[in-house]
């Protein structure tokens, strides 16, 4: 893939952003921003899946200005620190609903993350934006599947508090595309590859086969989403002459990314494009993990 030439020390283009009135709304990137601002997540998911990508030119070179209210959010769930979230046994109805709600919230955030990377970072190849739009479409489906299952349990999205760790890292990396790729899809979202099988098994153990089937879909798609992050991270590192493993360590330290601890789902991580050098840096020796 051919990438624009940039200064390796810079995270994004130095272009001056256009004012809201100047930016064309008749392009896919502007549509991503419009949908990102929608406050109702159900409406957002439906609109993402309904939008016909072929009807919108990309306008890859325009740097759009960030309006107030990014991302659009519903009034609930209440956002709290992770330590404030109550732990409930999955064997109880309330505990299982709380777990499904947490997963639903992750997918709500994932829609926002994919839309944000489409509109925020200019001057990438067209394939970059089309890749991340497809991620947004699949995250919207995941949200809809989990939200419907949550309603079948007698609850709605917003009934439980949630934390905002995914979007916090997106906010930290809003001016640095390389860091965004390294620390959101390749770190926080890749963590889902490790934990999803265990969560699925817990749900099966309490007889929730429907939720387990949804997690099968999510794990399959998330391997592809993390692969997208890996592909574009590697491409940017190559274009800037950077070592991917060393650069990842530097970015993780600079942006205080969480330190990942095993066990790791190495087969899923390999399928998602992590190299053996990256897996060795992650867990010492992949064979021993």
């Amino acid at each position: 893939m051919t990438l624009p030439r940039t200064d390796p020390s810079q995270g994004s283009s130095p272009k001056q952003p256009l004012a809201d009135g100047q930016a064309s709304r008749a392009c896919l990137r502007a549509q991503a921003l419009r949908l990102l601002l929608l406050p109702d997540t159900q409406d957002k998911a439906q609109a993402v899946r309904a939008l016909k990508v072929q009807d919108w030119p990309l306008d890859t070179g325009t740097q759009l200005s960030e309006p107030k209210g990014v991302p659009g959010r519903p009034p609930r769930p209440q956002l709290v620190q992770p330590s404030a979230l109550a732990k409930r046994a999955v064997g109880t109805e309330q505990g299982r609903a709380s777990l499904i709600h947490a997963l639903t919230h992750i997918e709500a955030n994932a829609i926002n993350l994919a839309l944000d990377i489409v509109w925020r970072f200019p001057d990438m190849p067209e394939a970059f934006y089309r890749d991340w739009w497809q991620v947004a479409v699949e995250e919207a489906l995941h949200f809809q599947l989990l939200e419907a299952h949550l309603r079948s349990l007698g609850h709605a999205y917003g009934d439980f508090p949630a934390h905002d760790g995914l979007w916090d890292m997106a906010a930290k990396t809003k001016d640095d595309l390389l860091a965004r790729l390294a620390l959101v899809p390749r770190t926080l979202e890749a963590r889902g590859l490790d934990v999803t099988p265990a969560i699925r098994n817990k749900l099966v153990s309490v007889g929730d086969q429907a939720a387990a089937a949804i997690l099968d879909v999510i794990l399959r798609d998330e391997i592809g989403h993390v692969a997208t992050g890996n592909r574009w991270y590697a491409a940017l590192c190559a274009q800037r002459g950077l070592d991917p493993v060393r650069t990842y360590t530097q970015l993780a330290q600079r942006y205080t990314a969480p330190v990942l601890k095993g066990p790791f789902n190495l087969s899923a991580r390999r399928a998602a494009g992590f190299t053996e050098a990256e897996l060795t840096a992650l867990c010492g020796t992949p064979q021993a993990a």
Side-chain angles (χ1 to χ4, degrees), residues 20-49:
D20 292 338
Q22 294 175 287
S24 170
R25 298 186 68 84
C27 72
L28 183 63
R29 292 178 56 232
Q31 288 299 307
L33 178 54
R34 179 181 69 83
L35 297 184
L36 180 61
L37 292 169
L38 292 177
D40 185 278
T41 312
Q42 287 88 345
D43 290 347
K44 185 180 297 183
Q46 183 176 352
V48 167
R49 295 189 66 203

Side-chain angles (χ1 to χ4, degrees), residues 88-97 99-100 199 202-203 205-206:
R88 298 184 174 92
V90 72
T92 67
E93 289 187 8
Q94 194 77 353
R96 182 157 55 100
L99 173 59
I100 299 300
I199 295 173
K202 283 185 179 181
L203 291 166
S205 72
V206 296

Side-chain angles (χ1 to χ4, degrees), residues 35-229:
L35 297 184
L36 180 61
L37 292 169
L38 292 177
D40 185 278
T41 312
Q42 287 88 345
D43 290 347
K44 185 180 297 183
Q46 183 176 352
V48 167
R49 295 189 66 203
L51 189 137
K52 293 182 172 59
V53 174
Q54 65 272 16
D55 291 345
W56 302 93
L58 273 168
D59 190 6
T60 61
T62 297
Q63 182 162 324
L64 305 172
S65 61
E66 182 170 353
K68 293 181 180 180
V70 172
R73 300 181 186 273
R76 299 165 59 235
Q78 176 190 7
L79 298 177
V80 299
Q81 292 298 315
S83 59
L85 293 173
K87 293 184 179 179
R88 298 184 174 92
V90 72
T92 67
E93 289 187 8
Q94 194 77 353
R96 182 157 55 100
S98 177
L99 173 59
I100 299 300
H101 185 276
L103 298 173
T104 305
H105 180 67
I106 289 171
E107 298 302 331
N109 261 319
I111 300 170
N112 289 338
L113 292 169
L115 292 174
D116 190 74
I117 204 171
V118 170
W119 84 262
R120 186 176 294 277
F121 299 102
D123 297 327
M124 292 295 288
E126 289 192 3
F128 174 87
Y129 303 104
R130 299 197 187 280
D131 282 352
W132 287 110
W133 186 269
Q134 182 59 34
V135 171
V137 170
E138 292 172 0
E139 303 290 20
L141 172 62
H142 299 169
F143 173 84
Q144 290 177 327
L145 292 172
L146 287 167
E147 194 269 338
H149 188 59
L150 183 63
R151 281 190 280 107
S152 77
L153 301 178
H155 290 274
Y157 178 52
D159 282 357
F160 299 89
H163 73 81
D164 208 28
L166 274 172
W167 188 259
D168 286 346
M169 184 57 73
K172 286 182 182 180
T173 58
K174 68 178 184 178
D175 297 318
D176 188 341
L177 176 57
L178 190 66
R180 171 69 66 87
L181 292 168
L183 303 178
V184 176
R186 300 181 72 253
T187 300
L188 298 181
E189 293 185 278
R191 194 62 182 144
L193 305 183
D194 303 324
V195 303
T196 297
I199 295 173
R200 180 195 183 280
N201 290 341
K202 283 185 179 181
L203 291 166
V204 169
S205 72
V206 296
D208 196 339
Q209 298 291 344
I214 294 171
L215 290 189
D216 286 340
V217 172
I218 290 175
L219 180 58
R220 178 200 68 199
D221 292 346
E222 289 300 332
I223 289 173
H225 301 173
V226 176
T228 297

Side-chain angles (χ1 to χ4, degrees), residues 191 193-195 198 261-266 269 283 289:
R191 194 62 182 144
L193 305 183
D194 303 324
V195 303
K261 297 179 181 180
F264 300 107
N265 186 346
L266 295 180
R269 283 178 174 268
C283 55

